[in-house]
């Protein structure tokens, strides 16, 4: 496999029910030069087996297991995401939660904008759908301006929309 242009980090725990659709979503990307890092955080539902099977079938997919977190570390997906960031090989990192899906041109268009405009970080809009239905619920766009105070009240930038230069994230994330 040639070097990937984008590393997609997907941390999950007990996500077996969502993994098939997530994999299909990434495999449908128009831009084929990506790697998908599936980072298991102690699943007990067979998700790690599905991830390993996907990795065995496509060299762009890697199945990783997050080591046990230190006892004082808080719970949450930050731990396996950091493992994925540390293992990423591409110059760009994108994030995808196990229960989210992407448009087939998401990586291609977002990366093109990074190159065209010299961006180090970008976020996109996204659509919400009714669970179990193809019907669109709403479109969401990132705020045009964002202040630190607003971020303290809640996350207005869903991680599935972010693409960031890998170098920005590497300090402290090396495995």
């Amino acid at each position: 496999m040639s070097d990937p242009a984008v590393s997609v980090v997907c941390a999950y725990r007990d996500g077996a029910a969502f993994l098939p659709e997530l994999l299909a979503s990434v495999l449908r990307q128009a831009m084929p030069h990506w790697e998908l890092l599936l980072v298991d955080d102690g699943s007990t539902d067979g998700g790690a087996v599905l991830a390993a099977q996907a990795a065995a079938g496509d060299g762009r997919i890697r199945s990783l297991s997050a080591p046990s977190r230190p006892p004082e570390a808080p719970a949450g997906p930050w731990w396996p995401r950091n493992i994925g960031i540390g293992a990423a090989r591409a110059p760009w990192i994108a994030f995808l939660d196990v229960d989210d899906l992407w448009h087939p041109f998401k990586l291609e268009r977002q990366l093109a904008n990074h190159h065209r405009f010299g961006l180090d970080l970008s976020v996109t809009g996204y659509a919400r759908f009714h669970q179990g239905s193809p019907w669109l619920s709403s479109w969401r766009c990132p705020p045009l301006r964002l202040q630190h105070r607003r971020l303290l009240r809640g996350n207005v930038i869903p991680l599935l929309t972010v693409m960031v230069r890998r170098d920005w994230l590497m300090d402290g994330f090396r495995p």
Side-chain angles (χ1 to χ4, degrees):
M1 180 183 105
S2 64
D3 288 338
V6 178
S7 293
V8 179
V9 175
C10 174
Y12 68 93
R13 172 181 243 157
D14 294 333
F18 299 104
L19 276 169
E21 282 190 79
L22 174 127
L23 289 164
S25 172
V26 176
L27 289 167
R28 281 193 299 267
Q29 289 300 299
M31 183 196 79
H33 305 294
W34 47 260
E35 70 171 342
L36 174 60
L37 303 163
L38 296 170
V39 188
D40 178 49
D41 190 23
S43 294
T44 59
D45 67 348
V49 172
L50 291 174
Q53 290 171 343
D58 190 321
R60 299 173 297 177
I61 301 171
R62 289 195 281 157
S63 176
L64 307 171
S65 293
S68 297
R69 66 185 82 214
E72 70 279 2
W78 67 273
W79 181 257
R81 280 188 192 128
N82 287 355
I83 301 303
I85 290 167
R89 297 179 314 168
W92 300 99
I93 295 181
F95 299 93
L96 185 59
D97 287 343
V98 71
D99 60 345
D100 291 331
L101 305 172
W102 279 343
H103 187 280
F105 292 103
K106 191 262 195 215
L107 290 178
E108 180 179 88
R109 291 178 181 167
Q110 195 167 9
L111 187 60
N113 281 326
H114 274 259
H115 293 309
R116 181 176 178 199
F117 298 109
L119 303 175
D120 293 316
L121 180 141
S122 68
V123 297
T124 67
Y126 65 101
R128 288 186 165 235
F129 291 84
H130 295 286
Q131 187 172 353
S133 166
W135 300 106
L136 179 66
S137 171
S138 64
W139 281 102
R140 304 283 172 100
C141 293
L144 294 176
R145 293 184 181 172
L146 186 60
Q147 294 177 340
H148 184 252
R149 284 189 312 252
R150 177 59 184 101
L151 280 175
L152 294 176
R153 290 192 317 237
N155 185 11
V156 294
I157 302 173
L159 206 51
L160 82 149
T161 73
V162 173
M163 184 179 288
V164 62
R165 184 177 295 282
R166 180 177 169 264
D167 296 349
W168 278 26
L169 301 177
M170 289 312 295
D171 239 0
F173 292 119
R174 298 201 189 276

